[in-house]
Amino acid sequence: MIEPSSDLPHMALALELASRGLGGVEPNPMVGCVIVAGNRVVGQGWHARFGGPHAEIDALALAGPAAEGATMYVTLEPCCHHGKTPPCTEAILQAGIRRVVVAHRDPFPRVDGGGIGRLKAAGIQVDVGLMESASRRLNAPYLKLIQQGRPWIVAKWAMTLDGKLATRSGDSRWISGQRSRLRVHQLRGRMDAILVGVGTARADDPRLTVRPPGLRTPVRIVLDSRASLATDSHLVRTACETPVLVAAGPEAPRQRLRQLELAGCEVWTSESADRQQRLMELLDELGRRRMTHVLVEGGAHVFGSLFDAGAIDEVHVFIAAKLIGGSTAASPMAGRGLSKMQQAVALSEPSIEVLDGDIYFQGRLSHDPHALADQQHVACP
């Protein structure tokens, strides 16, 4: 029997393999698998694309006959149901695997302990919990989608060293450098949607596309209560090439909704009179559409509304070594905000990289429910 201390490097390898599926597997989870016979890795695999073979199947195919009597390390509970692929539990049983080490259970209702139970019932030793926190962190967006029904919200902005998104006249091209903008496109290329407020859409007339194309083609979403997005904007003019969804409210004129639909946009409307509530309803709708990652690119009122609601999960900030000043120049986040410094939302495991003079910062938010209790709903455009 392999000693537990030697299990760690094999699960660590499985987690590294799992991370290779980022952007390709959603709304499925990222999963990695390693098969060990004795102390030798005889098979390894990962879930590479949605609808493709699961990690266990890839690893078993590589291991072949060597899988019999071996130990399998997998970052998520093996599936036990017929989906786009057959159940992995049956393939594990047929291969003669003796022991399965699982990082954590899959909360997906059609699995959720069933895969582990099936393996145990067949006499396989199953150990659960090795490197569970690392696996949960890797698949946090998937877990949020399954457990809360909403996508993982990534906020991205570029600002000057004095915290400005644009000059007092609204000019913002370009705050960050070319390498930073390339990194933004790489980030966009693994998103299901890119969301902006109508104010940002008007001021910048952005395309919000991925250049060059990435693994995914994100839907471009505009928060536009009155459906006022110009029909000659870049977004509307390219709606037949790359999807555009306009999220409108009950005050939007029917004629404007029809014009946008005729131009190729999808219009989603909420009947709620409260703009903050509409924003939360939109996140619920995106969750129903199985969107896993949504990138928010502005503006300050949208960021503020999401922050006040505790809805931002991750931030990517590009800080240029520039100063522009101005008391009326826009800063990244509006909204109500917090009243006390001790309520400030901490970021976990922040990372910093320098890109040709720009500082690229990223981290995940650690939400404090006591801080959120101090907040009130704030409207967004």
Side-chain angles (χ1 to χ4, degrees), residues 117-335:
R118 173 72 177 111
L119 296 175
K120 285 184 174 180
I124 292 179
Q125 178 186 344
V126 182
D127 299 316
V128 183
L130 181 66
M131 300 189 72
E132 179 175 357
S133 60
S135 183
R136 286 187 175 276
R137 177 175 174 78
L138 179 69
N139 272 317
Y142 165 77
L143 296 174
K144 181 184 179 184
L145 182 63
I146 294 298
Q147 296 171 331
Q148 300 181 32
R150 287 180 176 173
W152 187 260
I153 303 300
V154 180
K156 185 280 297 180
W157 65 83
M159 67 181 187
T160 58
L161 193 59
D162 52 343
K164 305 298 183 181
L165 295 178
T167 66
R168 66 175 187 269
S169 67
D171 182 30
S172 62
R173 294 187 179 177
W174 294 103
I175 290 177
S176 58
Q178 186 173 357
R179 282 189 65 196
S180 294
R181 297 197 295 275
L182 176 60
R183 190 63 61 90
V184 169
H185 283 284
Q186 293 170 346
L187 182 63
R188 286 178 176 179
R190 59 178 179 82
M191 295 288 148
D192 295 299
I194 301 170
L195 184 150
V196 297
V198 69
T200 297
R202 275 198 216 101
D204 297 344
D205 193 19
R207 291 177 173 82
L208 300 181
T209 51
V210 184
R211 305 184 295 275
L215 292 171
R216 311 182 82 81
T217 301
V219 176
R220 300 170 296 171
I221 302 174
V222 181
L223 301 179
D224 188 3
S225 294
R226 298 183 178 278
S228 61
L229 185 64
T231 53
D232 63 350
S233 65
H234 279 126
L235 288 169
V236 176
R237 286 192 287 111
T238 58
C240 293
E241 303 164 15
T242 305
V244 172
L245 186 152
V246 177
E251 64 267 44
R254 290 186 178 276
Q255 181 181 2
R256 286 294 305 154
L257 298 176
R258 183 60 176 158
Q259 287 176 340
L260 290 170
E261 289 175 334
L262 289 174
C265 299
E266 178 186 358
V267 174
W268 176 89
T269 57
S270 167
E271 295 305 315
S272 174
D274 182 83
R275 292 183 177 182
Q276 178 83 2
Q277 180 62 32
R278 290 205 293 265
L279 179 56
M280 296 302 106
E281 289 177 3
L282 175 62
L283 297 186
D284 290 335
E285 173 63 21
L286 300 182
R288 284 189 288 272
R289 298 185 185 201
R290 310 301 295 159
M291 291 188 180
T292 308
H293 294 91
V294 172
L295 180 66
V296 182
E297 296 203 14
H301 290 289
V302 177
F303 288 138
S305 293
L306 289 168
F307 177 77
D308 287 344
I312 297 176
D313 300 295
E314 185 175 331
V315 296
H316 291 248
V317 181
F318 297 85
I319 306 169
K322 302 174 182 177
L323 301 170
I324 57 176
S327 60
T328 60
S331 59
M333 199 171 290

